[in-house]
Amino acid sequence: MAESGWPVAFSALQPFLDWALATEAERTQKRQTSEMVDIQAFYTAMLSHLEDILVYLNQFPLERMPPHAQQLMDMTLSLAEIAPAVELFGQPREDDTFDPFRFVPQHQ
Amino acid sequence: MKDRQPTGAGGHAAPDQSNDRWNDKYPHLGTAPIPIEPYISREYFALERERIFRKVWLNVGRIEHIPNPGDYIVVALPVCQTSVVVVRGKDGQLHAFHNMCSHRGNKIVWDQGGSCRNFTCKFHGWSYGLDGGLRFVPDEERFYDLKKDRLGLTPVAVDTWAGFIFIHLDPNPTETLRAYLAEVVPGLEGYPFSELSATRFCWRTEIKANWKIAQDAFQEGYHLPVRHKASAADAFTSGTNPHCHFLSLDLYERHRRTSSYGNLNYQPTPVAGMAYQFGSSVVVDRDIALDNLPAGVNPTRRSDWSIDTFWIFPNFSIFPSNGTYLTHHFWPITEDRTIWETHTYFPNAENAGQKFSQEYSKVLLRDILMEDGTTLEHIQDMLASGAKTHMPLQHQEICVRHAYRVVEDYVGFYAGR
Ligand code: FES
Ligand SMILES: [Fe+2]
């Protein structure tokens, strides 16, 4: 493991730490204001490790994760956020859909 | 973790479309186009306010949202020109009141929810107990003959069914909640609502559309292959059910229910597949334990089922699925403005994989709803033009026809015209 506790196996993901965002509103903001090439790069990097990440994270209690694990967790949530953009729409937001910033998450 | 192999094909090679000319089952609804006026008329809206929203039970949340004494929620009811507080009392019972001070009318609670020991007015400091009784009046002796026991908060009826909290603006409704819901109770009884309500996500938005336009868009699948082509069509339609016909439906006096097919041959995307491997997902579930669902959900017991809907008059709906459910509320503001609120509920996530899985399900749902949102406002714009007076409906849109009929039966706008 690296000094931060970040597992060596996932060191390729460290350049994507700006996707470690704690709330849906932040993750939506990031998706909707990112270029598709950056979203795609994050998607590709995360997907190749996703199964291993989730198996790794499953050993920690959800409410008391060490900081590096919480970052990885939040990055998997960002992957969930951008997955439809990559897999279904080919763009951050479909043409002619509702303004995502008007659909406001409650009780965050 | 689960094996991703399809297991539930259950001998249903193709949807049964021999019996889905739904109008034939409900001839009293007729087949004529329905009028556009109810969606745009201010006069119609005023009648809905008086004859529907002030006269029926309205869902405002779940008991898990206010579990402890002093927990409260504030429900804005612009359609009834009021705001209502629902609070759990010291005795553990729910109480509901108009959110209005008995002194000079100030709104008592200004936030959307929380927990408190009493309600104190931010104008002159009158203070009320959790049961709504007036407890304290500053400088009380300077009032004339103040009857404190008659100056409590104005009550609103409140009751629960299956953990859902309903209010009725008449403090003594002629119809009990149980009687009001009698038509849908058999269908939903036994569904594990409390277990599945541990985690909730909610979005809220104000749209520029009539509440019925918004609601109608969620009670037919006819638009799914077109409007949701990119997001959901593959999971819910197939070569043998290209137009998303319903699997079954029942129309009642006021409420209604439907079942929808899923596509057993749907190939999940990589992330959807992983979400399914680590948790459950409404679009890729192949391991549905049909026997664990109450008999009224997916009553046909077909394995190529995806989700049911229960429409509780006037503005609340529950969509139970396997291991997750969602609800919609459409709260009218004016004839062309509506608060749209969607909740999606999951069991408690016990590990990272389940949390990821829930997040994916939630994001996909949200992105599907985004596709609906724009259409609603465009429809409202054009209905208001007056260019057309009626809209034709097909068999698969019978819920829209039924919804129109039930509203009109309450409102009586066309009676005697
Ligand atoms: S209006 Fe509430 S105390 Fe005066
Ligand atoms: Fe839709």
Side-chain angles (χ1 to χ4, degrees), chain A residues 24 27-28 31 50-51 57-58 62 73 76 80-81 84 87 94 96-98 102-107, chain B residues 200 202-206 227 269-271 274 277 349 351-353 359 362 366-367 370-371 374 377:
Chain A
E24 179 185 349
R27 295 188 290 268
T28 297
R31 165 176 160 185
L50 182 57
E51 186 165 4
L57 291 178
N58 274 356
L62 262 186
M73 180 80 238
T76 69
E81 171 70 40
E87 297 180 340
E94 274 181 285
D96 304 327
T97 56
F98 202 68
R102 284 177 63 193
F103 212 59
V104 185
Q106 312 287 311
H107 323 290
Chain B
R200 75 162 156 162
C202 173
W203 304 276
R204 184 183 293 151
T205 189
E206 182 181 325
R227 191 64 203 144
T269 60
V271 172
M274 201 61 77
Q277 184 179 326
N351 58 38
E359 186 72 14
K362 164 191 128 179
R366 186 201 63 203
D367 283 10
M370 295 291 97
E371 293 172 329
T374 328
E377 297 189 331

Side-chain angles (χ1 to χ4, degrees), chain B residues 217-218 223 228 368 372:
Chain B
F218 296 93
H223 74 280
H228 302 301
I368 294 170
D372 291 299

Side-chain angles (χ1 to χ4, degrees), chain B residues 28 37 43 62 90 139 154 175 198 293 351 398-399 406:
Chain B
H28 70 283
E37 201 169 12
E43 188 188 347
R62 281 198 57 81
K90 286 208 175 88
D139 204 17
T154 303
E175 187 176 26
L293 290 168
N351 58 38
I398 195 168
C399 292
V406 178

Side-chain angles (χ1 to χ4, degrees), chain B residues 322-376:
Chain B
N322 184 45
T324 174
Y325 75 98
L326 64 94
T327 64
H328 296 297
H329 292 84
F330 298 100
W331 293 109
I333 303 171
T334 63
E335 72 279 6
D336 61 2
R337 285 169 57 216
T338 299
I339 299 284
W340 165 20
E341 206 171 79
T342 297
H343 284 80
T344 171
Y345 292 93
F346 297 92
N348 187 43
E350 282 163 9
N351 58 38
Q354 290 175 10
K355 190 173 165 101
F356 167 77
S357 168
Q358 291 181 1
E359 186 72 14
Y360 178 74
S361 295
K362 164 191 128 179
V363 165
L364 181 61
L365 169 66
R366 186 201 63 203
D367 283 10
I368 294 170
L369 299 177
M370 295 291 97
E371 293 172 329
D372 291 299
T374 328
T375 329
L376 310 179

Side-chain angles (χ1 to χ4, degrees), chain A residues 27-64:
Chain A
R27 295 188 290 268
T28 297
Q29 168 84 25
K30 175 89 171 148
R31 165 176 160 185
Q32 299 298 338
T33 56
S34 291
E35 296 296 330
M36 206 53 208
V37 298
D38 297 325
I39 293 174
Q40 182 71 55
F42 172 63
Y43 173 88
T44 307
M46 285 294 288
L47 188 64
S48 58
H49 294 287
L50 182 57
E51 186 165 4
D52 294 339
I53 294 173
L54 293 175
V55 169
Y56 172 74
L57 291 178
N58 274 356
Q59 67 182 310
F60 300 109
L62 262 186
E63 300 310 321
R64 283 171 288 113

